[in-house]
Amino acid sequence: MSVLAACRQIQAEHPHLREKYSRARKVVRAFKSPAFYEVTTKCNLKCEGCYYFEGGKTASIPARDRIDDWKKFFADEAARGVSMAYFVGAEPAMAPDRLMAAAEHFPYGNIGTNGTIRIDPSVQYRIGVSVWAGDDESDKQLRGGSVFRKALRNYAGDPRAIILLTVSSWTVDQIPRVAELCKDHGLPLTFNIFSPTHEFNRKLSISAPNDSDFFRVSSPLSSPKLDDAALERLRRAMNQAIEDFPETVIYSKSYNDYICQPGARYELDPETGIAMDCQSRIREPMRYFDVSLRPNPVKCGTPDVDCRTCRMYSGGWSSQFIPKPRDTASPEAFEGWLDSLETLGRIFLYSPADAGAAKAVA
């Protein structure tokens, strides 16, 4: 039986799942025509194993400076039918005029930021505020400076914001602390898993000396990478956080159990090692534009991350859009997949109308 036929059969036998399935399809439709936009090559932090600078190939590309060029570009992209705009780069908040130029054009947007600069309230898109630790010492070690408290203050109570905790082998035990801080600041919390770049792995493999940029403290004996034992510890810790902070943590046990399993999470090309079934791959209709405003044929939204050990939240969640045989193996598995898509929508999508309605109900 095909996966689609199994979806229909389960709904026929369990009618209460039809409404969930309808909501899941609505979430998926929001991502029907996505695009990535680098809006700046500047950043004010130096994160260990940085996804953008550590091995990245677009940081040296000259940017278009005229804001009128950006305004026209975003208008043209909206006319092309882009439904979901991802604003990436080094630190998008360092290009506020470009974010504001985009704000009126796309139905949904998602901005990845380190939270040190508050994005103008006129930009009504989901803001994923990246936090890497819950104490000053770990934050300095991982990011070159302790900034998580400032990020929490900048976005406290902001309905656009969701805290994205990138968990590493060094910070698994800090999950309860970060969840408590998010609760105190009126901010939802979700998780990303540290996924090394090819360049970071190369430096570890040759015991490269530490530098003052993006390989300051790691060594073959100690790094943020997660081995199988650390992944299992992480899986248990995130599942516990879902139970202990149900009003704060936006995550899915079904997804968590999948993404924390040992081994590659994708089917890999045996020659290139690139994931063939990751839905974050840059393939039509999805496009990736660098700061020159030209499409760039990178493999995905985080081009140098090693697909063999990638557990990035962007690729992992987007790969939930299409159900797999395991998702229709039973009514319980199917409902777990539907719950994952509902969670995906809460993590990535923000609508001012929905936020207003939720506030009114509260």
Side-chain angles (χ1 to χ4, degrees):
M1 181 186 300
S2 71
V3 171
L4 181 58
C7 288
R8 291 171 176 162
Q9 180 173 323
I10 291 174
Q11 290 178 80
E13 296 173 354
H14 303 272
H16 70 284
L17 296 178
R18 289 174 181 166
E19 180 58 30
K20 278 192 173 185
Y21 185 70
S22 178
R23 292 199 301 269
R25 291 184 64 187
K26 184 178 179 181
V27 168
V28 173
R29 281 197 296 270
F31 298 85
K32 65 181 179 180
S33 184
F36 283 81
Y37 305 108
E38 284 190 22
V39 294
T40 181
T41 59
K42 299 176 182 177
C43 190
N44 54 357
L45 295 180
K46 292 184 177 180
C47 299
E48 189 79 354
C50 174
Y51 304 136
Y52 185 72
F53 290 109
E54 189 74 336
K57 303 295 190 295
T58 60
S60 61
I61 294 174
R64 292 278 192 96
D65 291 328
R66 294 178 67 251
I67 192 59
D68 286 346
D69 291 344
W70 287 85
K71 290 178 178 178
K72 182 180 184 307
F73 169 71
F74 287 131
D76 290 344
E77 282 294 281
R80 185 169 68 85
V82 171
S83 61
M84 164 58 88
Y86 294 96
F87 301 99
V88 296
E91 174 44 56
M94 296 188 76
D97 55 342
R98 296 170 188 175
L99 292 177
M100 286 188 280
E104 62 186 85
H105 290 295
F106 305 106
Y108 291 102
N110 193 289
I111 304 167
T113 177
N114 60 37
T116 57
I117 302 168
R118 190 166 189 270
I119 293 169
D120 191 280
S122 66
V123 181
Q124 291 288 298
Y125 291 141
R126 171 59 89 201
I127 300 174
V129 182
S130 174
V131 169
W132 282 42
D135 67 68
D136 293 303
E137 182 180 354
S138 300
D139 212 25
K140 289 177 182 176
Q141 184 180 40
L142 285 163
R143 311 202 81 178
S146 186
V147 295
F148 75 100
R149 297 180 194 276
K150 184 175 184 179
L152 292 171
R153 289 195 302 269
N154 278 343
Y155 286 98
D158 191 328
R160 302 172 299 168
I162 183 168
I163 299 300
L164 176 65
L165 175 62
T166 293
V167 194
S168 72
S169 62
W170 292 341
T171 58
V172 175
D173 295 333
Q174 296 183 19
I175 289 175
R177 167 66 174 158
V178 175
E180 192 70 48
L181 287 167
C182 289
K183 179 181 177 182
D184 292 345
H185 287 79
L187 288 164
L189 168 68
T190 193
F191 302 109
N192 184 38
I193 300 176
F194 180 85
S195 301
T197 63
H198 285 285
E199 180 63 11
F200 187 76
N201 281 335
R202 186 191 70 82
K203 288 181 177 181
L204 289 177
S205 70
I206 64 172
S207 299
N210 293 124
D211 55 37
S212 59
D213 292 321
F214 312 109
F215 194 73
R216 298 181 309 278
V217 291
S218 294
S219 72
L221 296 178
S222 179
S223 81
K225 292 176 62 173
L226 294 111
D227 59 18
D228 290 352
L231 280 171
E232 175 56 24
R233 195 158 55 94
L234 175 59
R235 186 190 68 81
R236 293 197 302 268
M238 291 194 290
N239 277 345
Q240 191 64 51
I242 294 171
E243 294 183 8
D244 293 345
F245 299 89
E247 302 302 316
T248 298
V249 173
I250 300 179
Y251 211 54
S252 158
K253 286 188 176 181
S254 174
Y255 173 80
N256 186 39
D257 291 344
Y258 157 74
I259 203 68
C260 286
Q261 289 178 31
R265 297 293 78 210
Y266 305 101
E267 183 181 351
L268 304 176
D269 184 305
E271 294 184 3
T272 65
I274 293 177
M276 296 186 291
D277 55 341
C278 173
Q279 296 302 311
S280 194
R281 291 287 308 278
I282 305 301
R283 292 177 287 213
E284 287 292 337
M286 183 156 58
R287 298 178 189 176
Y288 186 105
F289 295 86
D290 58 43
V291 290
S292 72
L293 303 184
R294 296 188 181 94
N296 197 307
V298 294
K299 73 173 173 69
C300 68
T302 47
D304 199 53
V305 168
D306 191 334
C307 295
R308 295 172 299 176
T309 52
C310 181
R311 288 176 170 81
M312 294 284 290
Y313 90 122
S314 53
W317 279 111
S318 63
S319 295
Q320 301 298 303
F321 288 145
I322 302 172
K324 300 173 177 62
R326 66 169 182 268
D327 299 317
T328 56
S330 68
E332 293 75 20
F334 185 62
E335 187 166 14
W337 174 70
L338 294 177
D339 289 342
S340 291
L341 285 179
E342 182 176 347
T343 303
L344 183 156
R346 295 177 66 198
I347 292 171
F348 287 91
L349 303 179
Y350 170 75
S351 165
D354 292 343
K359 186 175 181 180
V361 170

PDB file of all heavy atoms in Angstrom, residues 69-103:
ATOM      1  N   ASP A  69      17.677  48.700  -4.644  1.00  0.00           N
ATOM      2  CA  ASP A  69      17.886  47.416  -5.315  1.00  0.00           C
ATOM      3  C   ASP A  69      17.244  46.288  -4.517  1.00  0.00           C
ATOM      4  O   ASP A  69      16.633  45.373  -5.097  1.00  0.00           O
ATOM      5  CB  ASP A  69      19.387  47.135  -5.484  1.00  0.00           C
ATOM      6  CG  ASP A  69      20.052  48.067  -6.477  1.00  0.00           C
ATOM      7  OD1 ASP A  69      19.331  48.713  -7.259  1.00  0.00           O
ATOM      8  OD2 ASP A  69      21.294  48.152  -6.463  1.00  0.00           O
ATOM      9  N   TRP A  70      17.379  46.350  -3.195  1.00  0.00           N
ATOM     10  CA  TRP A  70      16.791  45.323  -2.341  1.00  0.00           C
ATOM     11  C   TRP A  70      15.266  45.398  -2.384  1.00  0.00           C
ATOM     12  O   TRP A  70      14.591  44.366  -2.426  1.00  0.00           O
ATOM     13  CB  TRP A  70      17.300  45.480  -0.912  1.00  0.00           C
ATOM     14  CG  TRP A  70      18.727  45.045  -0.755  1.00  0.00           C
ATOM     15  CD1 TRP A  70      19.837  45.809  -1.000  1.00  0.00           C
ATOM     16  CD2 TRP A  70      19.205  43.761  -0.359  1.00  0.00           C
ATOM     17  NE1 TRP A  70      20.978  45.074  -0.769  1.00  0.00           N
ATOM     18  CE2 TRP A  70      20.616  43.825  -0.369  1.00  0.00           C
ATOM     19  CE3 TRP A  70      18.583  42.582   0.020  1.00  0.00           C
ATOM     20  CZ2 TRP A  70      21.408  42.728  -0.027  1.00  0.00           C
ATOM     21  CZ3 TRP A  70      19.364  41.492   0.375  1.00  0.00           C
ATOM     22  CH2 TRP A  70      20.766  41.563   0.354  1.00  0.00           C
ATOM     23  N   LYS A  71      14.722  46.606  -2.371  1.00  0.00           N
ATOM     24  CA  LYS A  71      13.264  46.753  -2.414  1.00  0.00           C
ATOM     25  C   LYS A  71      12.694  46.149  -3.693  1.00  0.00           C
ATOM     26  O   LYS A  71      11.695  45.428  -3.666  1.00  0.00           O
ATOM     27  CB  LYS A  71      12.886  48.227  -2.301  1.00  0.00           C
ATOM     28  CG  LYS A  71      13.135  48.831  -0.933  1.00  0.00           C
ATOM     29  CD  LYS A  71      12.770  50.315  -0.910  1.00  0.00           C
ATOM     30  CE  LYS A  71      12.970  50.908   0.473  1.00  0.00           C
ATOM     31  NZ  LYS A  71      12.661  52.355   0.518  1.00  0.00           N
ATOM     32  N   LYS A  72      13.335  46.458  -4.815  1.00  0.00           N
ATOM     33  CA  LYS A  72      12.864  45.922  -6.093  1.00  0.00           C
ATOM     34  C   LYS A  72      13.019  44.403  -6.123  1.00  0.00           C
ATOM     35  O   LYS A  72      12.134  43.673  -6.605  1.00  0.00           O
ATOM     36  CB  LYS A  72      13.614  46.542  -7.254  1.00  0.00           C
ATOM     37  CG  LYS A  72      13.122  46.035  -8.627  1.00  0.00           C
ATOM     38  CD  LYS A  72      13.888  46.672  -9.759  1.00  0.00           C
ATOM     39  CE  LYS A  72      13.303  46.234 -11.119  1.00  0.00           C
ATOM     40  NZ  LYS A  72      13.210  44.770 -11.263  1.00  0.00           N
ATOM     41  N   PHE A  73      14.141  43.916  -5.591  1.00  0.00           N
ATOM     42  CA  PHE A  73      14.400  42.471  -5.577  1.00  0.00           C
ATOM     43  C   PHE A  73      13.319  41.741  -4.791  1.00  0.00           C
ATOM     44  O   PHE A  73      12.750  40.744  -5.269  1.00  0.00           O
ATOM     45  CB  PHE A  73      15.778  42.210  -4.961  1.00  0.00           C
ATOM     46  CG  PHE A  73      16.047  40.769  -4.667  1.00  0.00           C
ATOM     47  CD1 PHE A  73      16.264  39.865  -5.696  1.00  0.00           C
ATOM     48  CD2 PHE A  73      16.087  40.310  -3.353  1.00  0.00           C
ATOM     49  CE1 PHE A  73      16.519  38.521  -5.423  1.00  0.00           C
ATOM     50  CE2 PHE A  73      16.340  38.983  -3.076  1.00  0.00           C
ATOM     51  CZ  PHE A  73      16.553  38.089  -4.103  1.00  0.00           C
ATOM     52  N   PHE A  74      13.003  42.217  -3.594  1.00  0.00           N
ATOM     53  CA  PHE A  74      11.987  41.540  -2.786  1.00  0.00           C
ATOM     54  C   PHE A  74      10.610  41.636  -3.426  1.00  0.00           C
ATOM     55  O   PHE A  74       9.820  40.685  -3.364  1.00  0.00           O
ATOM     56  CB  PHE A  74      11.970  42.114  -1.373  1.00  0.00           C
ATOM     57  CG  PHE A  74      13.151  41.709  -0.531  1.00  0.00           C
ATOM     58  CD1 PHE A  74      13.878  42.656   0.182  1.00  0.00           C
ATOM     59  CD2 PHE A  74      13.539  40.381  -0.453  1.00  0.00           C
ATOM     60  CE1 PHE A  74      14.965  42.281   0.965  1.00  0.00           C
ATOM     61  CE2 PHE A  74      14.630  39.996   0.325  1.00  0.00           C
ATOM     62  CZ  PHE A  74      15.350  40.955   1.036  1.00  0.00           C
ATOM     63  N   ALA A  75      10.314  42.756  -4.069  1.00  0.00           N
ATOM     64  CA  ALA A  75       9.030  42.877  -4.774  1.00  0.00           C
ATOM     65  C   ALA A  75       8.940  41.862  -5.910  1.00  0.00           C
ATOM     66  O   ALA A  75       7.899  41.219  -6.114  1.00  0.00           O
ATOM     67  CB  ALA A  75       8.857  44.295  -5.299  1.00  0.00           C
ATOM     68  N   ASP A  76      10.049  41.702  -6.626  1.00  0.00           N
ATOM     69  CA  ASP A  76      10.074  40.729  -7.723  1.00  0.00           C
ATOM     70  C   ASP A  76       9.940  39.297  -7.197  1.00  0.00           C
ATOM     71  O   ASP A  76       9.280  38.453  -7.817  1.00  0.00           O
ATOM     72  CB  ASP A  76      11.371  40.859  -8.521  1.00  0.00           C
ATOM     73  CG  ASP A  76      11.431  42.144  -9.340  1.00  0.00           C
ATOM     74  OD1 ASP A  76      10.380  42.780  -9.530  1.00  0.00           O
ATOM     75  OD2 ASP A  76      12.549  42.507  -9.783  1.00  0.00           O
ATOM     76  N   GLU A  77      10.561  39.009  -6.056  1.00  0.00           N
ATOM     77  CA  GLU A  77      10.469  37.680  -5.467  1.00  0.00           C
ATOM     78  C   GLU A  77       9.047  37.376  -5.008  1.00  0.00           C
ATOM     79  O   GLU A  77       8.551  36.262  -5.163  1.00  0.00           O
ATOM     80  CB  GLU A  77      11.443  37.564  -4.284  1.00  0.00           C
ATOM     81  CG  GLU A  77      12.877  37.346  -4.690  1.00  0.00           C
ATOM     82  CD  GLU A  77      13.071  35.998  -5.358  1.00  0.00           C
ATOM     83  OE1 GLU A  77      13.149  34.977  -4.665  1.00  0.00           O
ATOM     84  OE2 GLU A  77      13.114  35.958  -6.600  1.00  0.00           O
ATOM     85  N   ALA A  78       8.389  38.386  -4.450  1.00  0.00           N
ATOM     86  CA  ALA A  78       6.996  38.195  -4.049  1.00  0.00           C
ATOM     87  C   ALA A  78       6.126  37.919  -5.267  1.00  0.00           C
ATOM     88  O   ALA A  78       5.244  37.042  -5.243  1.00  0.00           O
ATOM     89  CB  ALA A  78       6.494  39.411  -3.299  1.00  0.00           C
ATOM     90  N   ALA A  79       6.396  38.647  -6.345  1.00  0.00           N
ATOM     91  CA  ALA A  79       5.637  38.431  -7.580  1.00  0.00           C
ATOM     92  C   ALA A  79       5.907  37.041  -8.150  1.00  0.00           C
ATOM     93  O   ALA A  79       5.042  36.463  -8.826  1.00  0.00           O
ATOM     94  CB  ALA A  79       6.003  39.503  -8.602  1.00  0.00           C
ATOM     95  N   ARG A  80       7.106  36.493  -7.874  1.00  0.00           N
ATOM     96  CA  ARG A  80       7.445  35.138  -8.323  1.00  0.00           C
ATOM     97  C   ARG A  80       6.654  34.088  -7.548  1.00  0.00           C
ATOM     98  O   ARG A  80       6.584  32.923  -7.946  1.00  0.00           O
ATOM     99  CB  ARG A  80       8.950  34.916  -8.146  1.00  0.00           C
ATOM    100  CG  ARG A  80       9.473  33.596  -8.686  1.00  0.00           C
ATOM    101  CD  ARG A  80      10.999  33.569  -8.713  1.00  0.00           C
ATOM    102  NE  ARG A  80      11.597  33.567  -7.405  1.00  0.00           N
ATOM    103  CZ  ARG A  80      11.819  32.476  -6.664  1.00  0.00           C
ATOM    104  NH1 ARG A  80      11.462  31.282  -7.112  1.00  0.00           N
ATOM    105  NH2 ARG A  80      12.388  32.560  -5.483  1.00  0.00           N
ATOM    106  N   GLY A  81       6.045  34.494  -6.433  1.00  0.00           N
ATOM    107  CA  GLY A  81       5.204  33.574  -5.679  1.00  0.00           C
ATOM    108  C   GLY A  81       5.839  32.971  -4.449  1.00  0.00           C
ATOM    109  O   GLY A  81       5.349  31.950  -3.944  1.00  0.00           O
ATOM    110  N   VAL A  82       6.923  33.561  -3.943  1.00  0.00           N
ATOM    111  CA  VAL A  82       7.559  33.027  -2.740  1.00  0.00           C
ATOM    112  C   VAL A  82       6.584  33.101  -1.566  1.00  0.00           C
ATOM    113  O   VAL A  82       6.033  34.164  -1.259  1.00  0.00           O
ATOM    114  CB  VAL A  82       8.850  33.802  -2.410  1.00  0.00           C
ATOM    115  CG1 VAL A  82       9.400  33.401  -1.047  1.00  0.00           C
ATOM    116  CG2 VAL A  82       9.893  33.561  -3.497  1.00  0.00           C
ATOM    117  N   SER A  83       6.365  31.965  -0.913  1.00  0.00           N
ATOM    118  CA  SER A  83       5.414  31.905   0.198  1.00  0.00           C
ATOM    119  C   SER A  83       6.092  31.984   1.558  1.00  0.00           C
ATOM    120  O   SER A  83       5.496  32.439   2.529  1.00  0.00           O
ATOM    121  CB  SER A  83       4.603  30.607   0.108  1.00  0.00           C
ATOM    122  OG  SER A  83       5.466  29.480   0.189  1.00  0.00           O
ATOM    123  N   MET A  84       7.332  31.515   1.630  1.00  0.00           N
ATOM    124  CA  MET A  84       8.088  31.529   2.880  1.00  0.00           C
ATOM    125  C   MET A  84       9.492  32.039   2.606  1.00  0.00           C
ATOM    126  O   MET A  84      10.215  31.466   1.778  1.00  0.00           O
ATOM    127  CB  MET A  84       8.146  30.127   3.492  1.00  0.00           C
ATOM    128  CG  MET A  84       9.216  29.942   4.568  1.00  0.00           C
ATOM    129  SD  MET A  84       9.073  31.059   5.966  1.00  0.00           S
ATOM    130  CE  MET A  84       7.976  30.147   7.026  1.00  0.00           C
ATOM    131  N   ALA A  85       9.878  33.127   3.283  1.00  0.00           N
ATOM    132  CA  ALA A  85      11.189  33.737   3.093  1.00  0.00           C
ATOM    133  C   ALA A  85      12.039  33.507   4.333  1.00  0.00           C
ATOM    134  O   ALA A  85      11.643  33.887   5.440  1.00  0.00           O
ATOM    135  CB  ALA A  85      11.038  35.224   2.818  1.00  0.00           C
ATOM    136  N   TYR A  86      13.202  32.870   4.135  1.00  0.00           N
ATOM    137  CA  TYR A  86      14.149  32.676   5.226  1.00  0.00           C
ATOM    138  C   TYR A  86      15.247  33.729   5.102  1.00  0.00           C
ATOM    139  O   TYR A  86      15.904  33.828   4.060  1.00  0.00           O
ATOM    140  CB  TYR A  86      14.795  31.298   5.144  1.00  0.00           C
ATOM    141  CG  TYR A  86      13.851  30.138   5.358  1.00  0.00           C
ATOM    142  CD1 TYR A  86      13.281  29.469   4.281  1.00  0.00           C
ATOM    143  CD2 TYR A  86      13.542  29.699   6.640  1.00  0.00           C
ATOM    144  CE1 TYR A  86      12.432  28.389   4.472  1.00  0.00           C
ATOM    145  CE2 TYR A  86      12.691  28.624   6.839  1.00  0.00           C
ATOM    146  CZ  TYR A  86      12.143  27.973   5.755  1.00  0.00           C
ATOM    147  OH  TYR A  86      11.305  26.912   5.953  1.00  0.00           O
ATOM    148  N   PHE A  87      15.451  34.502   6.158  1.00  0.00           N
ATOM    149  CA  PHE A  87      16.474  35.543   6.144  1.00  0.00           C
ATOM    150  C   PHE A  87      17.659  35.070   6.969  1.00  0.00           C
ATOM    151  O   PHE A  87      17.555  34.861   8.180  1.00  0.00           O
ATOM    152  CB  PHE A  87      15.890  36.850   6.678  1.00  0.00           C
ATOM    153  CG  PHE A  87      14.709  37.320   5.865  1.00  0.00           C
ATOM    154  CD1 PHE A  87      13.418  37.078   6.294  1.00  0.00           C
ATOM    155  CD2 PHE A  87      14.895  37.969   4.653  1.00  0.00           C
ATOM    156  CE1 PHE A  87      12.322  37.477   5.538  1.00  0.00           C
ATOM    157  CE2 PHE A  87      13.806  38.373   3.887  1.00  0.00           C
ATOM    158  CZ  PHE A  87      12.524  38.127   4.331  1.00  0.00           C
ATOM    159  N   VAL A  88      18.778  34.874   6.272  1.00  0.00           N
ATOM    160  CA  VAL A  88      19.940  34.249   6.877  1.00  0.00           C
ATOM    161  C   VAL A  88      21.168  35.101   6.598  1.00  0.00           C
ATOM    162  O   VAL A  88      21.080  36.273   6.266  1.00  0.00           O
ATOM    163  CB  VAL A  88      20.125  32.817   6.332  1.00  0.00           C
ATOM    164  CG1 VAL A  88      18.949  31.934   6.713  1.00  0.00           C
ATOM    165  CG2 VAL A  88      20.296  32.804   4.808  1.00  0.00           C
ATOM    166  N   GLY A  89      22.333  34.453   6.713  1.00  0.00           N
ATOM    167  CA  GLY A  89      23.586  35.153   6.515  1.00  0.00           C
ATOM    168  C   GLY A  89      24.402  35.030   7.775  1.00  0.00           C
ATOM    169  O   GLY A  89      24.268  34.059   8.530  1.00  0.00           O
ATOM    170  N   ALA A  90      25.175  36.028   8.015  1.00  0.00           N
ATOM    171  CA  ALA A  90      25.945  36.044   9.243  1.00  0.00           C
ATOM    172  C   ALA A  90      25.023  36.472  10.394  1.00  0.00           C
ATOM    173  O   ALA A  90      24.624  35.658  11.215  1.00  0.00           O
ATOM    174  CB  ALA A  90      27.135  36.974   9.099  1.00  0.00           C
ATOM    175  N   GLU A  91      24.602  37.728  10.417  1.00  0.00           N
ATOM    176  CA  GLU A  91      23.645  38.198  11.431  1.00  0.00           C
ATOM    177  C   GLU A  91      22.663  39.165  10.770  1.00  0.00           C
ATOM    178  O   GLU A  91      22.963  40.351  10.589  1.00  0.00           O
ATOM    179  CB  GLU A  91      24.373  38.893  12.596  1.00  0.00           C
ATOM    180  CG  GLU A  91      23.449  39.526  13.625  1.00  0.00           C
ATOM    181  CD  GLU A  91      22.273  38.629  14.009  1.00  0.00           C
ATOM    182  OE1 GLU A  91      22.510  37.487  14.446  1.00  0.00           O
ATOM    183  OE2 GLU A  91      21.119  39.078  13.864  1.00  0.00           O
ATOM    184  N   PRO A  92      21.485  38.680  10.388  1.00  0.00           N
ATOM    185  CA  PRO A  92      20.511  39.503   9.663  1.00  0.00           C
ATOM    186  C   PRO A  92      20.128  40.795  10.364  1.00  0.00           C
ATOM    187  O   PRO A  92      19.815  41.790   9.706  1.00  0.00           O
ATOM    188  CB  PRO A  92      19.303  38.572   9.520  1.00  0.00           C
ATOM    189  CG  PRO A  92      19.891  37.203   9.549  1.00  0.00           C
ATOM    190  CD  PRO A  92      21.033  37.281  10.523  1.00  0.00           C
ATOM    191  N   ALA A  93      20.150  40.802  11.699  1.00  0.00           N
ATOM    192  CA  ALA A  93      19.752  42.018  12.420  1.00  0.00           C
ATOM    193  C   ALA A  93      20.709  43.179  12.185  1.00  0.00           C
ATOM    194  O   ALA A  93      20.375  44.331  12.489  1.00  0.00           O
ATOM    195  CB  ALA A  93      19.641  41.734  13.919  1.00  0.00           C
ATOM    196  N   MET A  94      21.885  42.898  11.614  1.00  0.00           N
ATOM    197  CA  MET A  94      22.835  43.971  11.296  1.00  0.00           C
ATOM    198  C   MET A  94      22.503  44.640   9.971  1.00  0.00           C
ATOM    199  O   MET A  94      23.209  45.564   9.548  1.00  0.00           O
ATOM    200  CB  MET A  94      24.262  43.412  11.292  1.00  0.00           C
ATOM    201  CG  MET A  94      24.709  42.903  12.648  1.00  0.00           C
ATOM    202  SD  MET A  94      26.458  42.436  12.729  1.00  0.00           S
ATOM    203  CE  MET A  94      27.234  44.068  12.815  1.00  0.00           C
ATOM    204  N   ALA A  95      21.434  44.197   9.312  1.00  0.00           N
ATOM    205  CA  ALA A  95      20.961  44.829   8.072  1.00  0.00           C
ATOM    206  C   ALA A  95      19.478  45.166   8.224  1.00  0.00           C
ATOM    207  O   ALA A  95      18.642  44.652   7.488  1.00  0.00           O
ATOM    208  CB  ALA A  95      21.201  43.917   6.878  1.00  0.00           C
ATOM    209  N   PRO A  96      19.125  46.034   9.181  1.00  0.00           N
ATOM    210  CA  PRO A  96      17.710  46.287   9.466  1.00  0.00           C
ATOM    211  C   PRO A  96      16.939  46.874   8.297  1.00  0.00           C
ATOM    212  O   PRO A  96      15.755  46.578   8.115  1.00  0.00           O
ATOM    213  CB  PRO A  96      17.751  47.259  10.651  1.00  0.00           C
ATOM    214  CG  PRO A  96      19.107  47.899  10.587  1.00  0.00           C
ATOM    215  CD  PRO A  96      20.011  46.835  10.045  1.00  0.00           C
ATOM    216  N   ASP A  97      17.610  47.706   7.479  1.00  0.00           N
ATOM    217  CA  ASP A  97      16.903  48.316   6.344  1.00  0.00           C
ATOM    218  C   ASP A  97      16.487  47.257   5.327  1.00  0.00           C
ATOM    219  O   ASP A  97      15.416  47.360   4.707  1.00  0.00           O
ATOM    220  CB  ASP A  97      17.767  49.387   5.680  1.00  0.00           C
ATOM    221  CG  ASP A  97      19.143  48.882   5.256  1.00  0.00           C
ATOM    222  OD1 ASP A  97      19.584  47.826   5.749  1.00  0.00           O
ATOM    223  OD2 ASP A  97      19.780  49.561   4.423  1.00  0.00           O
ATOM    224  N   ARG A  98      17.295  46.206   5.168  1.00  0.00           N
ATOM    225  CA  ARG A  98      16.965  45.146   4.210  1.00  0.00           C
ATOM    226  C   ARG A  98      15.820  44.277   4.738  1.00  0.00           C
ATOM    227  O   ARG A  98      14.957  43.845   3.962  1.00  0.00           O
ATOM    228  CB  ARG A  98      18.205  44.314   3.909  1.00  0.00           C
ATOM    229  CG  ARG A  98      19.290  45.147   3.206  1.00  0.00           C
ATOM    230  CD  ARG A  98      20.629  44.437   3.093  1.00  0.00           C
ATOM    231  NE  ARG A  98      21.646  45.366   2.597  1.00  0.00           N
ATOM    232  CZ  ARG A  98      22.926  45.082   2.483  1.00  0.00           C
ATOM    233  NH1 ARG A  98      23.377  43.862   2.826  1.00  0.00           N
ATOM    234  NH2 ARG A  98      23.778  45.987   2.035  1.00  0.00           N
ATOM    235  N   LEU A  99      15.809  44.036   6.035  1.00  0.00           N
ATOM    236  CA  LEU A  99      14.696  43.281   6.615  1.00  0.00           C
ATOM    237  C   LEU A  99      13.391  44.068   6.486  1.00  0.00           C
ATOM    238  O   LEU A  99      12.344  43.498   6.151  1.00  0.00           O
ATOM    239  CB  LEU A  99      14.976  42.969   8.087  1.00  0.00           C
ATOM    240  CG  LEU A  99      16.108  41.976   8.373  1.00  0.00           C
ATOM    241  CD1 LEU A  99      16.304  41.828   9.870  1.00  0.00           C
ATOM    242  CD2 LEU A  99      15.842  40.625   7.733  1.00  0.00           C
ATOM    243  N   MET A 100      13.455  45.364   6.735  1.00  0.00           N
ATOM    244  CA  MET A 100      12.240  46.174   6.622  1.00  0.00           C
ATOM    245  C   MET A 100      11.775  46.279   5.175  1.00  0.00           C
ATOM    246  O   MET A 100      10.578  46.348   4.897  1.00  0.00           O
ATOM    247  CB  MET A 100      12.467  47.553   7.240  1.00  0.00           C
ATOM    248  CG  MET A 100      12.501  47.510   8.761  1.00  0.00           C
ATOM    249  SD  MET A 100      12.546  49.139   9.554  1.00  0.00           S
ATOM    250  CE  MET A 100      14.277  49.539   9.377  1.00  0.00           C
ATOM    251  N   ALA A 101      12.728  46.252   4.244  1.00  0.00           N
ATOM    252  CA  ALA A 101      12.363  46.282   2.828  1.00  0.00           C
ATOM    253  C   ALA A 101      11.606  45.020   2.430  1.00  0.00           C
ATOM    254  O   ALA A 101      10.751  45.040   1.539  1.00  0.00           O
ATOM    255  CB  ALA A 101      13.614  46.430   1.966  1.00  0.00           C
ATOM    256  N   ALA A 102      11.912  43.907   3.111  1.00  0.00           N
ATOM    257  CA  ALA A 102      11.254  42.632   2.791  1.00  0.00           C
ATOM    258  C   ALA A 102       9.916  42.468   3.498  1.00  0.00           C
ATOM    259  O   ALA A 102       9.069  41.684   3.055  1.00  0.00           O
ATOM    260  CB  ALA A 102      12.175  41.475   3.181  1.00  0.00           C
ATOM    261  N   ALA A 103       9.724  43.210   4.589  1.00  0.00           N
ATOM    262  CA  ALA A 103       8.646  42.912   5.521  1.00  0.00           C
ATOM    263  C   ALA A 103       7.249  42.952   4.916  1.00  0.00           C
ATOM    264  O   ALA A 103       6.355  42.240   5.366  1.00  0.00           O
ATOM    265  CB  ALA A 103       8.721  43.865   6.714  1.00  0.00           C
TER     266      ALA A 103
END
